[in-house]
Amino acid sequence: MRVSVVGQGYVGLTITEGSLRAGHHVLGFDVNPRVLEGLSRAKSHIEGISETVLREGIDSGNFRLSGDASTLDGSDVVVIAVPTPLDEQGKADLSLLRNASETVGKSLRESTLIINESTSFPGTLREVIAPIVGGSGVTHRYAVSPERVDPGNKNFGSRNTPRVVGGLTDEARSQAAAFYQGFCDHVIEVSSPEVAEAAKLFENTFRFINIGLVNEFAQLMAAMGIPVDETLAAAATKPYGFMPFHPNVGIGGHCIPVDPFYLEERAREFGLSSKYIQVSDELNKSMPKFVVNRLEQEVGKPLAGLRIRVVGVTYKANISDTRETPATAVLQLLRDRGAKVSWHDPLVKEWLGEQNSPLDDADLALVLVVHDALDMSGWKGGQIYTVNRVEKHPDWIPLISVKSRY
Ligand SMILES: NC(=O)c1ccc[n+]([C@@H]2O[C@H](COP(=O)([O-])OP(=O)(O)OC[C@H]3O[C@@H](n4cnc5c(N)ncnc54)[C@H](O)[C@@H]3O)[C@@H](O)[C@H]2O)c1
């Protein structure tokens, strides 16, 4: 089949790779020339994508790249995977999705299977995408399959992560399911696109809330002088009815901090609101302050004037993504307290308009994220603190889990 993937980011490139492996002719479509330029040299800007698969696709002519919308015409399947962020007021920002839908609608002259992978609230395929794409008068088939990719996860990729598919018609749903069966072992068909869209939001809201719960629990344990890491490990020995979540300096990335607010926004249209989402948001956002307070407590004096190197600024280990990273709040809090802060991250060249600093020395280091590529052997400064205990560095002082007072 001729598969066009609109948006060649974390999600789109994953589908591109899966489609190439399944033997399709793939058009990678993106509005960012830098993305197209890199991919045309088989250079992936996304961790975990096989450059060998990209290279083989380019050499065989199966993988083409374009920013010219007219190239979408003639596709059998168009997959849309563009960002769905929050705007400055914290509201769902569908502008890029609308834009992509317009581009797709204007370019296709024949009926095509359109699949949305971008995360959004239930009703988006039916009420937003289909009317825009179909506005040009062609009758297309519409399906949705919200992406579940976990960038950097070595155990779960597109082959073994089950995929949920819903369609506006039975035909669209079963065609989309057949498409995904080409590179995914488990495809689950559901009765409507709204079920698929809502399931995705619930999955990430579930994580958001449970992380909020465990972050609150960590603060309670610290106040009581009980080590939360040992407590959670003990709780996790229960073989049923318990799923471990781990406290951290906050949440980040394009999904967990964003998706619950898409659910909240839709709920408001029905005169409802989720209390869990609001309170979990407060708890997750309280963690940078909790960690900085704990740092001050461990240092034993105010942080003003101290030279602090914050290490690892992405939102999680082994990826270069700094979107919504809680490191932003940590840096701000440390600077507000008068510390002289710079940052180091082996995976990030530039962030917040600042350049990556070499490790060398400072009065102390605060390690937020431990990438496999992080090498602290060049560190000539003072004590190293970390948010969570790092087994291979027992000399680093963890801040979230406290020493037992018992
Ligand atoms: N990142 C993740 O881990 C993840 C996981 C599951 C779902 N999602 C969802 O997938 C969607 C895409 O997220 P992402 O992380 O892949 O984003 P991304 O920023 O990594 O990539 C998006 C790409 O789309 C391109 N783009 C933007 N507007 C376009 C347009 N009109 N036409 C063509 N290309 C356009 C951008 O240039 C960019 O290269 C979002 O809805 C997100 O919530 C993301």
Side-chain angles (χ1 to χ4, degrees):
M1 284 195 285
R2 264 199 68 179
V3 177
S4 295
V5 184
V6 177
Q8 291 288 286
Y10 282 91
V11 168
L13 203 50
T14 306
I15 298 308
T16 291
E17 186 196 19
S19 303
L20 285 168
R21 285 186 194 276
H24 299 305
H25 298 281
V26 182
L27 172 71
F29 180 83
D30 205 290
V31 289
N32 185 338
R34 272 202 309 178
V35 166
L36 296 174
E37 195 277 320
L39 290 175
S40 63
R41 290 184 290 111
K43 284 276 155 249
S44 171
H45 54 298
I46 304 293
E47 294 83 0
I49 298 289
S50 163
E51 292 187 340
T52 310
V53 170
L54 302 184
R55 166 59 53 209
E56 284 170 2
I58 288 168
D59 290 348
S60 65
N62 277 351
F63 182 31
R64 290 178 306 122
L65 289 141
S66 179
D68 171 2
S70 67
T71 54
L72 294 168
D73 192 27
S75 308
D76 299 303
V77 181
V78 172
V79 178
I80 303 177
V82 296
T84 45
L86 298 172
D87 65 16
E88 280 174 7
Q89 281 76 48
K91 299 256 173 251
D93 176 0
L94 291 185
S95 57
L96 297 174
L97 187 56
R98 287 180 199 278
N99 235 313
S101 304
E102 264 165 39
T103 305
V104 170
K106 279 186 199 146
S107 315
L108 299 174
R109 286 175 298 176
E110 279 172 29
S111 177
T112 306
L113 175 62
I114 314 286
I115 306 176
N116 178 42
E117 292 228 8
S118 321
T119 306
S120 185
F121 45 72
T124 301
L125 184 74
R126 193 183 300 271
E127 296 165 28
V128 180
I129 298 174
I132 297 177
V133 178
S136 57
V138 182
T139 306
H140 299 291
R141 288 146 282 142
Y142 297 94
V144 63
S145 180
E147 178 58 57
R148 287 168 157 171
V149 63
D150 182 14
N153 191 324
K154 295 189 175 82
N155 299 322
F156 290 99
S158 44
R159 163 90 27 217
N160 64 350
T161 305
R163 192 169 261 288
V164 173
V165 177
L168 276 192
T169 58
D170 290 345
E171 185 196 16
R173 187 194 63 233
S174 55
Q175 286 181 358
F179 166 66
Y180 286 114
Q181 274 150 3
F183 56 93
C184 177
D185 292 339
H186 301 287
V187 177
I188 300 108
E189 295 182 48
V190 294
S191 62
S192 70
E194 284 75 9
V195 168
E197 292 165 325
K200 169 73 189 180
L201 292 189
F202 187 65
E203 290 161 22
N204 282 354
T205 302
F206 173 85
R207 256 184 98 65
F208 179 84
I209 287 169
N210 278 286
I211 296 170
L213 174 65
V214 82
N215 279 338
E216 180 183 61
F217 185 63
Q219 298 189 30
L220 301 181
M221 291 295 94
M224 293 178 200
I226 302 169
V228 70
D229 51 3
E230 190 188 349
T231 309
L232 290 170
T237 59
K238 184 176 178 182
Y240 54 89
F242 184 81
M243 183 185 283
F245 284 84
H246 305 286
N248 213 318
V249 66
I251 50 171
H254 186 34
C255 295
I256 308 295
V258 173
D259 299 354
F261 295 96
Y262 272 70
L263 180 59
E264 174 70 4
E265 188 154 325
R266 192 61 161 170
R268 282 178 200 266
E269 285 177 34
F270 290 83
L272 297 168
S273 163
S274 162
K275 294 184 184 61
Y276 273 119
I277 291 174
Q278 285 166 28
V279 82
S280 307
D281 188 38
E282 267 173 45
L283 289 165
N284 291 327
K285 285 187 176 146
S286 73
M287 289 308 283
K289 190 167 176 194
F290 171 70
V291 166
V292 170
N293 285 346
R294 282 276 306 121
L295 176 67
E296 204 160 54
Q297 204 176 40
E298 287 290 337
V299 169
K301 61 177 184 187
L303 301 174
L306 288 182
R307 290 176 306 132
I308 298 181
R309 184 81 79 255
V310 172
V311 178
V313 299
T314 61
Y315 80 91
K316 68 173 181 178
N318 299 326
I319 62 163
S320 56
D321 194 350
T322 53
R323 288 179 295 182
E324 319 286 334
T325 174
T328 312
V330 172
L331 237 73
Q332 192 56 51
L333 283 164
L334 292 172
R335 285 177 177 160
D336 288 350
R337 291 185 192 194
K340 294 178 191 133
V341 189
S342 55
W343 57 271
H344 171 79
D345 191 309
L347 304 185
V348 182
K349 281 198 190 100
E350 198 192 315
W351 171 61
L352 299 176
E354 298 172 19
Q355 299 299 314
N356 189 9
S357 312
L359 257 184
D360 55 44
D361 79 326
D363 295 319
L364 64 92
L366 171 56
V367 182
L368 300 180
V369 170
V370 186
H371 300 299
D372 290 346
L374 176 65
D375 176 7
M376 292 293 283
S377 60
W379 173 247
K380 299 185 200 78
Q383 178 62 51
I384 301 176
Y385 297 86
T386 168
V387 287
N388 285 312
R389 189 176 309 284
V390 182
E391 294 238 330
K392 60 180 178 183
H393 296 293
D395 50 323
W396 296 5
I397 298 178
L399 296 173
I400 288 187
S401 198
V402 297
K403 272 202 198 117
S404 176
R405 56 181 257 229
Y406 299 100

